[in-house]
Amino acid sequence: MHLRHLAILLTATATVFAQEAAPAAKSPLGPWVEPDFPFFSSVLDCRDLGEGFPKDNLTPRGLILNLGHNLWACFDTDLLRIACIWEGKPGEPPVTPAALAPGSYHSVGWKTKDGQDFLPKPNGKVWLANGLYPGWQVGEKPSFTDPREKAPSVEEVGRGPLDGKFLSVEEHGDRLLLKFSVGNAEINEIMEADKIGDELVVMRLVIVMPRDVGLTCSINHKVHARKPSDVIAQSTFSDTLSCIEMDGGELSFLKASPHQEIDEALFIMTKDGLWRPSGAEADVKSGGSNRSNPGRKWPQILSTTAKLSTSTDAYVFDDIPLLFDNPWKRHVRLADIDFLNDQGDAVGVTFDGDVWLISGLKGDLEKVTWKRFASGLHEPMSIVARKKNQDSGIKNQELFVFDRNGIWRLVDSNADQECDSYEMFCNLFAQTAETREFPNSMKLGPKGELYISKGGQEGTTRGKHNGTVIKVAPDGKSFEVIGYGLRQPFIGVNEKTGLVTASDQQGHYVPSTPLHIIEKGHFYGHLPTIAPKEKYPAPITEPMTWIPHPVNPSGVTQTWLTGAKMGDMNDELIHIGYNRPELFRVLINDRFERKQAAVVSFSRELDFPLLNAKVNPADGQLYVTGFQVWGTTTKVQSGLARVRYTGKPRVLLKQVTPTDAGLVLTFNHALDAAMATNPDSYSAERWNYKRTPEYGSPHLKPDGSGAGQEWMTASSAYLSQDGKNVLVAFPGMKAGIHQMRIGWGLKSADGLKAENTAYFTPWELLSFKPADFGFAADLKPNLTPRQVAAVSAVKPTVEEGARIYQMFGCMACHSRDGSNVGKVGPSWKGLFGSERDIAKGMKGKVKADEAYLRESILNPAAKVVKGFEKFDTGMPIYNGILNDSQVESLVMFIKGLK
């Protein structure tokens, strides 16, 4: 772009800005649409503007431009068109807040509806609009046929970009510049509002670089538009504006013949069409400003101080306060972070489209500084910093943000720590206006490639790339779908090996929470509700492992602890739970032809919703962040925390290996031999799921006899010679069971607690060879079925109850903090002594005394609490499984949860 053209041709004064409707009186937040920022991104629904306007005008990828004087324009970055220009209503937001980010900004828990029926619309008086045809295109006359390849639903308009490419939106001083290419020509455009006399107008500057093809630009589809002969204020084009009739009105369009010079034109639009009054040339040279605050927008550098944990555990959590108190009264719903160097400098992105530079993330976190860097993005949830070279600092990093528009590269061209050029790195993949086609996640690959995952729930039409995992080339010029048939996938990528994993969300065709390995061309089983039932396009690739929905009701991203300083967890895979904030360790087992994995809870201590995590090269610790929209058990809206390894010991399970003789559990510490070789130290069960068009799946017994789980009683247990491997022998091991659970209540040889539960899917069984795991080579496991002893010498205690709560997997279905979200059973907090409203087994209320607790443990179907009668996952009947002492310990534990 030649900046001299801007000074010659542009003028505008903008002193009145549309404001979002005033938030609730108690809200400390400002408006979601900031009055002095030049653009924001949004879907825009202009399908029902009334007579004389196009009926198909829907923009899935729109830049809403703040023209000043409360005038707004939507630029469609796919079709390179001005979709709509409108005059806003004073004191109200320019678009209706029907999208998720603005709708939930002041009202956490607010939800969007599925489909494309309830979308943001222009809020005010529409001046002009264009239909679903290219704004700029090669040719002598405009075509009104959408040339893009159709989506699976032919009526779907979110088909991706034209052959022409949207390049960037740039700030030059106080003006906003759009850049894109059509044919072999680069085109620059600027739009601003001003008054000529008493009339409010929009001035559109068009600058077309040298080209060897003819171009047209559709300007204005409007009934009774003013004559095009009075349109051009100034022009160097060899052609002028023309007009053709269509849809009962007229379409004005600009013609630009092949030319080896730069051409430029400035034309003026009013609410009645196109216009050039007498003397306009002089008026439009007077200079002006598009915003009330040109230049550097956010000079302030602000700081917070972390609260370090005082816990004496091996792994502790340091709370890093977010910058909720800021001069712009901006919400900071932090979604993701990435690190720029090994000095504690990072970047973070919020769901409301802001990017922050964050420094001081190392040491005692005494001074964490925040500098606002960018804004205007469309519900982003991931950010990636990619090194240009080995030097430190933001200038040697490429910053990428994935939002509904595509993948942006954010550039600070004048090194003032603010983004001034938003470059479209890749938008080649399609994006519909479906409210649930979220830009879920983005991760960096080992060769500089970027992997993204897109939401797959479709309520109105079927798009091209909904529910896919996509690989984008390092230069952004190509992409490929590597996995499809996913409902709401969130991914992880090993930056050394390139292994791509993905979680998904339980729903239709997704019976529970899966954890997939994503492989090129594979289909993962989800079909949208609007598709023909069970008409699968390819064989279904089952997950590496299933996770019970009550255990992980909303799985999101995965992070490899590559380069970490996290003790025995180094290089492991961490999986994040969103609904109930939780970190899981994923223990991948490579002993099989097909990778298997066991999932073990690592921590439930965080009190904010978790979405992403990243290892900080400055200290080797794991930093986690996320925000709340809906469906979480926490009331904290967003947070940032450091998971810090203190160097103290913790007994960790390192691997689960299913064999034909039972399960081999591998630990990082030698175990207490007496407890490890006692089969009563373990609990296990297994069940199947069924993939159907219905939402989720009950637990199904492997023998096909109906709902429920099959309890497994260990016949014997053996400890390896180094004390770190245990064979828990089970008769009747089977491959292909969808879900197994193994719980243990052990201690290490030096007395450390070792209590947890692992969930896994034994797709294959190894032939047990004792020497492979450090057992005596002549070990022959006893696989004789065993009855659980009726009496135990263990004295009932609260501590033993807590161990059983963990070992038997009770925590999967019953919380101890009062929360029921994501649970299939009532919370145990405050349960003892309360009045229970019974819905199944009897009528009326019953007091939860000791007798009630014992009965509910031994025969859970006797009295089912109201609100939980619909759950058919089935609680095991523990009569004959738990002995009297264990039941008493559980009762004592529940009584203490007040």
Side-chain angles (χ1 to χ4, degrees):
M1 173 63 189
H2 297 274
L3 295 180
R4 62 186 179 87
H5 296 289
L6 303 180
I8 293 173
L9 295 175
L10 283 176
T11 182
T13 57
T15 57
V16 179
F17 293 91
Q19 299 284 338
E20 189 170 349
K26 294 183 179 180
S27 175
L29 302 173
W32 188 83
V33 177
E34 294 184 286
D36 60 351
F37 195 73
F39 75 93
F40 65 93
S41 305
S42 180
V43 170
L44 194 69
D45 185 358
C46 299
R47 292 174 293 184
D48 57 355
L49 298 181
E51 184 178 356
F53 290 107
K55 303 297 184 184
D56 58 356
N57 188 0
L58 175 62
T59 305
R61 288 172 166 165
L63 293 181
I64 310 299
L65 310 178
N66 183 349
L67 306 181
H69 289 280
N70 204 11
L71 284 174
W72 305 84
C74 174
F75 184 80
D76 183 334
T77 60
D78 278 346
L79 285 172
L80 306 179
R81 67 186 178 115
I82 298 297
C84 185
I85 295 178
W86 70 100
E87 185 175 358
K89 295 180 179 180
E92 295 187 18
V95 300
T96 58
L100 185 57
S104 64
Y105 194 69
H106 297 292
S107 179
V108 175
W110 184 90
K111 296 184 179 182
T112 54
K113 297 184 179 180
D114 284 347
Q116 301 183 34
D117 295 329
F118 301 94
L119 300 173
K121 299 179 180 182
N123 186 23
K125 169 70 174 177
V126 174
W127 281 21
L128 64 86
N130 285 296
L132 285 176
Y133 39 82
W136 283 89
Q137 52 190 294
V138 175
E140 294 298 318
K141 287 187 177 181
S143 168
F144 305 110
T145 301
D146 189 339
R148 300 172 296 175
E149 179 186 43
K150 290 181 173 60
S153 294
V154 296
E155 70 274 21
E156 170 54 54
V157 305
R159 301 176 181 178
L162 298 166
D163 290 338
K165 178 176 174 58
F166 177 75
L167 299 175
S168 64
V169 53
E170 300 179 2
E171 293 186 72
H172 287 277
D174 58 353
R175 294 187 171 94
L176 197 66
L177 173 68
L178 302 178
K179 286 186 176 182
F180 47 92
S181 63
V182 179
N184 65 347
E186 181 179 312
I187 300 167
N188 297 176
E189 287 203 25
I190 292 180
M191 296 178 64
E192 293 187 324
D194 203 351
K195 283 187 175 181
I196 297 181
D198 293 329
E199 185 154 16
L200 190 61
V201 299
V202 172
M203 294 176 292
R204 184 175 178 186
L205 170 67
V206 175
I207 301 173
V208 183
M209 300 306 171
R211 61 207 175 272
D212 56 14
V213 296
L215 303 174
T216 64
C217 172
S218 299
I219 305 296
N220 178 13
H221 179 178
K222 187 78 166 65
V223 177
H224 307 307
R226 295 188 184 185
K227 295 295 183 182
S229 58
D230 289 328
V231 172
I232 300 295
Q234 294 188 7
S235 177
T236 64
F237 282 92
S238 56
D239 302 304
T240 58
L241 283 156
S242 299
C243 191
I244 59 176
E245 292 186 3
M246 62 173 293
D247 295 338
E250 293 178 325
L251 175 82
S252 300
F253 65 95
L254 177 71
K255 293 175 62 178
S257 296
H259 197 203
Q260 294 309 306
E261 300 291 335
I262 295 175
D263 280 326
E264 54 197 31
L266 177 66
F267 48 90
I268 301 171
M269 294 171 283
T270 73
K271 60 185 176 182
D272 298 319
L274 296 164
W275 178 48
R276 177 205 155 204
S278 175
E281 295 91 341
D283 288 341
V284 299
K285 291 182 181 179
S286 61
S289 172
N290 183 49
R291 300 196 308 277
S292 61
N293 184 28
R296 202 174 186 202
K297 299 176 291 299
W298 313 300
Q300 299 92 333
I301 297 177
L302 307 164
S303 66
T304 61
T305 300
K307 182 179 180 181
L308 300 187
S309 172
T310 58
S311 170
T312 58
D313 293 342
Y315 297 91
V316 300
F317 297 85
D318 300 323
D319 177 56
I320 305 168
L322 300 181
L323 199 67
F324 293 123
D325 184 13
N326 58 73
W328 313 281
K329 297 182 179 180
R330 194 68 174 161
H331 209 344
V332 183
R333 295 192 283 182
L334 198 61
D336 192 15
I337 61 170
D338 201 0
F339 291 91
L340 301 172
N341 50 39
D342 60 1
Q343 302 301 308
D345 299 321
V347 285
V349 66
T350 75
F351 186 60
D352 300 295
D354 299 319
V355 174
W356 295 79
L357 304 179
I358 311 170
S359 296
L361 296 177
K362 61 180 180 178
D364 60 6
L365 305 173
E366 184 177 2
K367 186 177 182 180
V368 178
T369 63
W370 301 75
K371 170 70 176 66
R372 199 169 170 194
F373 179 74
S375 192
L377 304 174
H378 196 177
E379 298 182 346
M381 291 188 281
S382 47
I383 190 167
V384 164
R386 187 174 73 179
K387 284 186 178 180
K388 294 179 183 177
N389 54 52
Q390 296 304 311
D391 295 336
S392 62
I394 189 171
K395 65 181 180 180
N396 295 309
Q397 297 280 351
E398 291 182 293
L399 301 184
F400 298 99
V401 173
F402 174 38
D403 74 352
R404 289 179 184 262
N405 296 297
I407 300 175
W408 296 96
R409 177 163 46 199
L410 307 182
V411 178
D412 174 13
S413 61
N414 61 0
D416 68 350
Q417 291 193 307
E418 290 186 10
C419 176
D420 47 45
S421 180
Y422 297 74
E423 298 178 359
M424 183 50 67
F425 180 73
C426 184
N427 68 344
L428 298 175
F429 41 88
Q431 173 71 40
T432 73
E434 290 282 331
T435 61
R436 303 296 171 86
E437 192 183 353
F438 299 117
N440 282 339
S441 53
M442 176 173 63
K443 301 290 183 180
L444 181 66
K447 297 181 180 179
E449 72 275 28
L450 294 168
Y451 293 87
I452 61 173
S453 64
K454 294 167 62 65
Q457 290 174 266
E458 297 165 283
T460 302
T461 64
R462 301 192 65 184
K464 291 180 180 180
H465 298 128
N466 304 63
T468 60
V469 176
I470 290 173
K471 176 183 177 181
V472 176
D475 61 5
K477 294 180 179 179
S478 63
F479 78 97
E480 59 179 328
V481 175
I482 61 169
Y484 66 108
L486 295 149
R487 186 174 183 268
Q488 286 294 343
F490 288 84
I491 61 172
V493 177
N494 188 311
E495 291 188 29
K496 287 185 176 180
T497 67
L499 181 72
V500 181
T501 57
S503 67
D504 206 352
Q505 310 287 303
Q506 184 194 56
H508 307 285
Y509 297 98
V510 186
S512 191
T513 302
L515 190 57
H516 296 287
I517 291 177
I518 301 297
E519 299 177 272
K520 185 176 178 179
H522 285 227
F523 170 70
Y524 293 92
H526 176 255
L527 295 174
T529 55
I530 59 176
K533 290 186 177 182
E534 299 185 283
K535 298 293 184 182
Y536 301 112
I540 297 171
T541 299
E542 297 293 347
M544 176 170 59
T545 185
W546 291 103
I547 310 171
H549 183 255
V551 173
N552 182 208
S554 186
V556 284
T557 60
Q558 302 88 54
T559 297
W560 289 89
L561 298 181
T562 303
K565 298 176 181 178
M566 302 285 287
D568 287 330
M569 289 172 53
N570 289 346
D571 296 318
E572 287 188 351
L573 181 62
I574 298 296
H575 170 62
I576 295 177
Y578 174 80
N579 172 283
R580 182 177 61 252
E582 190 162 0
L583 298 176
F584 297 91
R585 297 169 54 237
V586 181
L587 312 177
I588 296 179
N589 195 324
D590 291 318
R591 294 174 181 266
F592 301 88
E593 182 177 347
R594 173 182 179 179
K595 280 185 171 63
Q596 298 188 29
V599 176
V600 183
S601 177
F602 171 67
S603 176
R604 305 183 187 95
E605 293 184 28
L606 292 161
D607 64 353
F608 62 87
L610 309 181
L611 187 63
N612 281 292
K614 188 71 176 180
V615 173
N616 183 353
D619 56 18
Q621 307 302 289
L622 184 68
Y623 287 67
V624 293
T625 190
F627 69 97
Q628 178 182 9
V629 176
W630 71 76
T632 69
T633 62
T634 177
K635 295 182 180 179
V636 177
Q637 294 189 27
S638 187
L640 174 63
R642 175 174 67 181
V643 185
R644 174 165 50 92
Y645 176 53
T646 66
K648 295 186 178 181
R650 176 170 169 177
V651 182
L652 299 171
L653 179 73
K654 295 296 291 182
Q655 193 174 80
V656 176
T657 306
T659 77
D660 55 3
L663 303 175
V664 177
L665 309 181
T666 302
F667 292 87
N668 66 333
H669 282 258
L671 300 174
D672 176 88
M675 297 187 73
T677 56
N678 181 355
D680 289 332
S681 295
Y682 310 92
S683 71
E685 54 190 327
R686 58 187 175 185
W687 63 92
N688 284 331
Y689 301 112
K690 186 176 183 181
R691 192 187 296 271
T692 73
E694 302 303 318
Y695 195 100
S697 169
H699 294 184
L700 301 171
K701 293 181 179 179
D703 62 6
S705 60
Q709 298 92 242
E710 178 187 347
W711 187 263
M712 303 176 69
T713 300
S715 293
S716 53
Y718 304 89
L719 190 62
S720 64
Q721 296 177 65
D722 66 358
K724 295 183 178 181
N725 290 297
V726 179
L727 170 64
V728 186
F730 292 104
M733 287 290 294
K734 298 176 183 177
I737 298 292
H738 293 159
Q739 193 76 76
M740 285 191 68
R741 180 191 70 79
I742 177 73
W744 58 95
L746 304 171
K747 289 184 179 180
S748 68
D750 51 2
L752 296 174
K753 285 186 178 181
E755 301 168 359
N756 213 326
T757 300
Y759 300 89
F760 56 98
T761 300
W763 295 115
E764 303 172 46
L765 300 178
L766 281 188
S767 175
F768 177 67
K769 297 179 180 179
D772 290 350
F773 297 95
F775 295 97
D778 59 352
L779 174 64
K780 294 182 179 179
N782 179 4
L783 295 175
T784 303
R786 182 182 69 92
Q787 295 294 324
V788 179
V791 180
S792 172
V794 177
K795 180 181 178 181
T797 63
V798 172
E799 292 74 20
E800 178 66 6
R803 188 179 78 95
I804 294 169
Y805 172 78
Q806 188 77 42
M807 185 178 78
F808 280 78
C810 307
M811 79 291 183
C813 300
H814 304 278
S815 77
R816 49 181 173 179
D817 62 2
S819 170
N820 288 323
V821 178
K823 299 292 189 179
V824 296
S827 176
W828 284 358
K829 182 178 181 179
L831 170 58
F832 180 74
S834 66
E835 292 286 330
R836 315 301 287 170
D837 194 355
I838 304 302
K840 187 177 179 182
M842 62 166 284
K843 293 182 179 180
K845 295 182 180 292
V846 65
K847 187 175 181 179
D849 54 16
E850 291 187 6
Y852 168 84
L853 295 181
R854 292 189 190 95
E855 180 184 44
S856 296
I857 293 169
L858 299 175
N859 184 14
K863 297 181 179 68
V864 179
V865 174
K866 187 175 182 179
F868 296 92
E869 67 273 15
K870 293 184 290 184
F871 292 108
D872 55 1
T873 55
M875 176 176 165
I877 297 173
Y878 287 102
N879 190 14
I881 294 173
L882 295 177
N883 57 46
D884 291 342
S885 175
Q886 291 172 322
V887 172
E888 290 304 311
S889 293
L890 268 180
V891 170
M892 293 173 67
F893 176 66
I894 294 170
K895 288 173 65 175
L897 297 174
K898 299 179 181 179

